[in-house]
Amino acid sequence: MTISSAYIHIPFCQQICHYCDFTKFFYNERLADEYLEALENEIHTYIPLEKAKVKTIFVGGGTPTAVNHSQLKRLLKMIDEHFDVASCEEYTFEANPGDLDEEKVRLLKEYGVDRISLGVQVFDDQMLEEIGRVHRVKDVYTNVDRLVQAGLTNVSIDLMYALPGQTVEHFEKTIDEAMQFDLPHYSSYSLQIEPKTIFYQRYKKGTLIKPPEEDEAEMYELLQRKLSRAGVDQYEISNFAKPGFESKHNLTYWNNEYYFGIGAGAHGYLPGKRTINIRPLPAYTKQAMADGKPILHEEPVGLKEQMEEEMFLGLRKTEGVSLSSFKHKYDREMVDVFGQAIPKLKERKLVQEEKGFLSLTPRGRILGNEVFQEFLLDE
């Protein structure tokens, strides 16, 4: 089976955001040098000889652009030496506004990166400070302009809603300002209080209060309405794009296709198994240098799990899961496998069947987790 994509994790940040539970560490030049050496060793284990042909490469974090110029060049060169970048359909780097000086933008362009995902979160300096972001609104304008001038026009920005102290009106201003950029792609996520984060500690103490659920739902509906009117279509629960600019890499996940997961804490999906890498930096670096296999956990994925995941992941897409693709992949009809769940969810108006696809209704999107639970199969 073909490995469609590669996810490469760079865990360094200049500042740790209060809500983030991804694998991340304060940037340190020496640690970053050691990490890149270990990372190359891991990549070489997967791809020892000729360059791997993949449809998409996504370099995420942390903040991949938090490293210095020589380290960024080393990282880009390493990827270029192991992957056939020229035949890649989409090559994305995550970045924080303010990180992208002219030299970093030049390097990204020179090594074939053709898509940038900017972690903007909110267009309000005070709130950026309150959630632990280091950039300010003016940095978004500077960096988007710098990217566009360099010909990197496929830019996506991430927004957050349901933040502490955020009202519906406040989020509407963020949406409006984000839309002024007229970008091809927008992602937006509601705040989740994750363990081992600053926000989690405050939440446990009762000092962090999220907006009420009805406000959160209103923010989400407002986002959908405004972007749809502007011709930026929702193609997944949290993602919106102009036609043809959907994230091909993220579609790898939602289409339940195979991908390499490389770097500290990275998750991968290879034929027959899902992998999770070691998270702590010293332990990851030590193991990757020792044998190039810094895997913490491998979970076998049998037919039952594959079919469940096909539904959990595929139903995140607006178009839903193709009945014919399901039959082609698993040699059985979807309705035969999920004969109890589908009628029940249709009756509750949480899913619908149209043009050969099973998809979530607008109400189903809001109650997504309830829907996904119904697709757990008995042994």
Side-chain angles (χ1 to χ4, degrees):
M1 296 290 271
T2 311
I3 313 293
S4 298
S5 299
Y7 173 78
I8 298 167
H9 192 77
I10 306 301
F12 298 105
C13 292
Q14 296 291 351
Q15 185 166 319
I16 305 299
C17 302
H18 297 348
Y19 52 82
C20 178
D21 76 328
F22 292 122
T23 304
K24 75 280 179 191
F25 306 93
F26 280 112
Y27 172 72
N28 168 294
E29 192 173 326
R30 179 185 59 80
L31 289 179
D33 278 335
E34 289 171 2
Y35 181 79
L36 290 174
E37 195 175 337
L39 188 75
E40 181 149 32
N41 222 34
E42 186 189 359
I43 295 175
H44 187 71
T45 305
Y46 284 117
I47 305 148
L49 299 169
E50 60 191 62
K51 292 183 180 191
K53 282 187 187 295
V54 287
K55 277 196 305 187
T56 71
I57 300 168
F58 193 105
V59 185
T63 315
T65 51
V67 297
N68 66 30
H69 294 133
S70 62
Q71 289 166 340
L72 180 61
K73 185 171 183 176
R74 181 180 175 187
L75 171 63
L76 288 159
K77 201 160 178 269
M78 177 195 309
I79 294 167
D80 187 62
E81 283 167 359
H82 288 88
F83 295 94
D84 186 353
V85 171
S87 71
C88 185
E89 292 175 24
E90 181 188 273
Y91 183 1
T92 305
F93 250 72
E94 280 187 339
N96 276 345
D99 276 351
L100 293 171
D101 60 24
E102 287 180 7
E103 175 63 8
K104 285 183 181 176
V105 170
R106 187 190 66 74
L107 283 168
L108 293 168
K109 177 77 174 158
E110 183 186 327
Y111 279 90
V113 174
D114 59 10
R115 185 173 181 274
I116 300 293
S117 177
L118 276 181
V120 172
Q121 316 316 359
V122 66
F123 282 92
D124 180 308
D125 282 348
Q126 188 184 336
M127 193 164 278
L128 285 168
E129 194 168 332
E130 286 167 2
I131 65 175
R133 298 294 287 174
V134 76
H135 79 271
R136 294 297 172 258
V137 172
K138 65 177 171 52
D139 297 320
V140 182
Y141 285 84
T142 305
N143 275 185
V144 170
D145 186 54
R146 196 167 277 158
L147 289 164
V148 171
Q149 293 295 324
L152 281 163
T153 55
N154 191 358
V155 177
S156 171
I157 62 177
D158 284 355
L159 303 173
M160 289 185 78
Y161 61 96
L163 293 167
Q166 193 177 39
T167 62
V168 174
E169 294 71 27
H170 183 279
F171 184 56
E172 184 168 18
K173 283 180 186 163
T174 274
I175 300 169
D176 289 343
E177 191 157 353
M179 286 171 63
Q180 295 298 314
F181 289 91
D182 191 28
L183 295 172
H185 192 283
Y186 295 88
S187 300
S188 191
Y189 305 91
S190 69
L191 172 66
Q192 304 299 310
I193 310 285
E194 303 287 1
K196 298 181 183 172
T197 62
I198 293 169
F199 273 176
Y200 182 76
Q201 302 306 326
R202 291 181 188 171
Y203 181 71
K204 294 292 277 184
K205 288 178 191 165
T207 58
L208 181 140
I209 299 159
K210 281 186 71 177
E213 277 183 18
E214 55 270 26
D215 283 10
E216 185 174 331
E218 200 177 328
M219 290 179 200
Y220 183 53
E221 284 161 8
L222 188 68
L223 177 80
Q224 291 174 307
R225 212 162 48 241
K226 283 191 167 255
L227 286 170
S228 171
R229 278 191 206 136
V232 185
D233 301 322
Q234 183 169 21
Y235 69 99
E236 190 268 347
I237 286 176
S238 304
N239 285 269
F240 305 77
K242 291 181 181 177
F245 287 93
E246 298 82 3
S247 166
K248 292 186 175 81
H249 183 83
N250 286 343
L251 284 165
T252 297
Y253 303 147
W254 303 320
N255 290 331
N256 205 21
E257 295 169 357
Y258 298 123
Y259 57 92
F260 296 111
I262 297 163
H267 291 230
Y269 181 33
L270 303 172
K273 63 185 177 185
R274 287 194 181 272
T275 60
I276 302 172
N277 274 358
I278 296 165
R279 280 178 76 125
L281 201 56
Y284 166 84
T285 302
K286 185 180 176 187
Q287 194 61 47
M289 288 309 296
D291 64 3
K293 296 175 184 172
I295 293 171
L296 172 69
H297 181 64
E298 268 189 13
E299 190 180 325
V301 178
L303 182 64
K304 170 185 171 289
E305 290 81 14
Q306 275 184 292
M307 292 190 295
E308 289 172 342
E309 288 168 5
E310 191 79 19
M311 303 309 292
F312 305 156
L313 297 164
L315 283 170
R316 291 187 61 91
K317 297 180 294 178
T318 302
E319 72 171 10
V321 184
S322 160
L323 276 67
S324 62
S325 289
F326 188 95
K327 173 85 164 70
H328 176 72
K329 253 181 168 178
Y330 305 110
D331 197 27
R332 54 193 75 190
E333 301 289 349
M334 189 191 292
V335 72
D336 293 341
V337 180
F338 299 105
Q340 287 183 306
I342 293 171
K344 193 199 301 186
L345 292 166
K346 279 182 180 173
E347 198 178 313
R348 291 180 62 199
K349 297 193 167 33
L350 296 176
V351 301
Q352 60 198 3
E353 198 178 308
E354 281 180 351
K355 297 176 183 172
F357 284 82
L358 186 79
S359 62
L360 296 177
T361 62
R363 184 162 175 265
R365 278 184 210 154
I366 293 166
L367 300 173
N369 288 339
E370 274 186 47
V371 177
F372 303 149
Q373 209 171 322
E374 292 293 330
F375 288 97
L376 286 168
L377 294 165
D378 294 329
E379 290 300 332

